[in-house]
Amino acid sequence: KELVFSGVQPTGNLHLGNYLGAVRRFVALQETHDCIYCVVDLHAITATLSQPDLAAQTREVTAAFIASGIDPARHIVFNQSQVAGHAELAWIFNCVARLGWLNRMTQFKEKAGKDRENASVGLYAYPALMAADILLYKATHVPVGEDQKQHLELTRDIAIKFNNDFSEQIAARGYGVGETGYFPITEPLIGGPAARVMSLRDGTKKMSKSDPSDYSRINLTDDADGIAQKVRKAKTDPEPLPSEEAGLEKRAEAQNLVGIYAGLSDTTPAEVLRQFGGAQFSGFKASLVDLAVEKLGPIGAEMARLMKDPGHIDAVLADGASRASAIAERTIAEVKDIVGLIRR
Ligand code: TYM
């Protein structure tokens, strides 16, 4: 049976890239799949351990999920640390994953930077925890932005190795599913015009929560004026927009803004260029501001409203966590049996 899982880190500044590359697609998948959406607070402490506003940011991502249209009654929304199975399975996966696999992870290299000796062990093991998030629920489909592709490949490698290393134990217990073994080989769902939204200041850099310039990103909490200013200041080139997609090549900033427009309006870059081909950026940006304010304004307003009642958000998370735990506990029990860890 198909099951969707995805996670978002509560590291502040949820932005348009997170929305178009991930959250908006989470919303759409609710119509066709059972979905589990997780605020991954254990991942959030891998880069910086002490974060006085971690709890508030966990609530803010939860509010963003709900404000964007995720329904925590029909699907499962919770924060990772409330379900013990994530950390338990991550430990087993630390023993499945090879150093060589983790050494190839580009996100670790980027995040650790030059001072690698001083990066936390958690940051290094991050992808094994991510694999645990997904496989704890035996999720088959994972919607993410382009930047998570390598982590999802690692998740598949971990599933394959576990299934292989334990094939006899899995078969003996009758825990296997068909040909694959115990864990499914997860499909990444990456795509659309906004799988990789770039910085508004530099079309070669990813839009990111950690960019020091707030003008590089549109935050979900930005008001209409803020959105308008950032779009107006967004970097462009002097040429008018081309009328075909091929004309966007080597024009990273133009391509990014067209992709954003297409993502927000649920069309394709080709369609956007049919409408705006030949237009100057000033005119196109004005339309983009209107569209972004129309789509994001209500989300930001609803987030602000939800954030006034943290007790309600915590209740949503607690309810989601207890439903997630019911699934997770079964997987952990089976994994313990497979590995040979005695349990109660
Ligand atoms: P995180 O919190 O950095 O980002 C959340 C989601 O937003 C996507 N994203 C983008 N998409 C398009 N353009 C961008 N500029 C952009 N920036 C971010 C990310 O790809 C992601 O889908 N490791 C994950 C969190 C995670 C997870 C998981 C995801 C933990 N466990 C299990 C899926 C399944 C992360 O750091 O995402």
Side-chain angles (χ1 to χ4, degrees):
K1 190 160 176 293
E2 293 192 349
L3 177 73
V4 166
F5 181 96
S6 197
V8 174
Q9 292 196 66
T11 36
N13 296 330
L14 217 58
H15 54 68
L16 188 61
N18 300 128
Y19 179 64
L20 292 178
V23 180
R24 194 162 188 279
R25 303 173 58 233
F26 300 175
V27 175
L29 284 161
Q30 296 183 110
E31 303 311 318
T32 50
H33 288 78
D34 289 331
C35 304
I36 303 180
Y37 296 126
C38 183
V39 187
V40 291
D41 47 8
L42 297 175
H43 277 110
I45 58 175
T46 57
T48 311
L49 176 57
S50 167
Q51 293 177 57
D53 47 2
L54 181 62
Q57 288 183 348
T58 299
R59 294 187 186 107
E60 190 174 278
V61 173
T62 312
F65 281 177
I66 299 170
S68 300
I70 291 171
D71 180 354
R74 279 166 55 221
H75 299 276
I76 296 179
V77 173
F78 72 106
N79 60 307
Q80 189 184 28
S81 60
Q82 290 207 60
V83 177
H86 292 257
E88 285 185 86
L89 189 58
W91 181 258
I92 309 243
F93 286 174
N94 281 339
C95 303
V96 173
R98 309 287 92 185
L99 283 179
W101 302 359
L102 291 179
N103 285 339
R104 283 198 288 275
M105 295 294 113
T106 55
Q107 184 174 298
F108 173 74
K109 291 181 201 167
E110 274 161 34
K111 290 203 176 168
K114 286 201 181 74
D115 192 12
R116 197 177 298 184
E117 294 288 300
N118 206 24
S120 77
V121 174
L123 187 67
Y124 187 72
Y126 178 119
L129 176 59
M130 182 162 161
D133 298 340
I134 296 164
L135 296 176
L136 187 55
Y137 305 97
K138 302 192 186 140
T140 56
H141 292 79
V142 181
V144 285
E146 174 78 35
D147 60 342
Q148 295 301 312
K149 191 166 178 231
Q150 196 184 33
H151 288 156
L152 292 184
E153 283 161 6
L154 187 94
T155 301
R156 293 163 69 99
D157 290 341
I158 287 177
I160 291 167
K161 184 164 166 59
F162 183 95
N163 289 344
N164 259 321
D165 288 358
F166 292 107
S167 59
E168 279 167 28
Q169 293 90 325
I170 293 165
R173 298 256 173 197
Y175 286 159
V177 192
E179 296 276 284
T180 28
Y182 183 69
F183 287 119
I185 312 305
T186 303
E187 288 290 334
L189 299 176
I190 301 172
R196 187 173 177 83
V197 176
M198 308 308 279
S199 157
L200 299 180
R201 306 300 293 160
D202 178 351
T204 65
K205 273 189 2 203
K206 187 179 74 171
M207 183 177 286
S208 127
K209 292 168 185 167
S210 57
D211 193 311
S213 166
D214 200 47
Y215 276 93
S216 68
R217 64 182 161 260
I218 293 174
N219 301 307
L220 288 186
T221 49
D222 285 345
D223 61 13
D225 281 348
I227 293 173
Q229 274 190 32
K230 288 176 178 181
V231 172
R232 265 190 242 116
K233 286 205 179 188
K235 190 175 166 199
T236 51
D237 57 43
E239 303 295 317
L241 283 162
S243 31
E244 285 175 14
E245 257 190 291
L248 289 173
E249 260 172 51
K250 304 221 170 76
R251 296 179 67 185
E253 284 83 13
Q255 186 172 28
N256 189 38
L257 293 182
V258 168
I260 290 172
Y261 195 103
L264 283 171
S265 58
D266 229 344
T267 57
T268 59
E271 185 55 45
V272 175
L273 293 178
R274 253 194 292 285
Q275 199 183 337
F276 290 98
Q280 298 295 330
F281 272 107
S282 52
F284 176 65
K285 280 181 167 180
S287 300
L288 181 55
V289 168
D290 289 346
L291 177 65
V293 169
E294 178 199 323
K295 300 285 179 181
L296 303 181
I299 296 174
E302 180 64 3
M303 279 173 73
R305 194 186 68 79
L306 289 164
M307 288 296 286
K308 288 196 188 113
D309 188 356
H312 171 70
I313 295 181
D314 291 1
V316 166
L317 292 172
D319 172 64
S322 74
R323 288 188 287 142
S325 288
I327 307 172
E329 278 166 18
R330 178 158 176 200
T331 305
I332 291 297
E334 291 173 350
V335 166
K336 285 184 171 175
D337 291 346
I338 291 168
V339 176
L341 303 167
I342 295 170
R343 62 183 172 92
R344 275 188 305 245

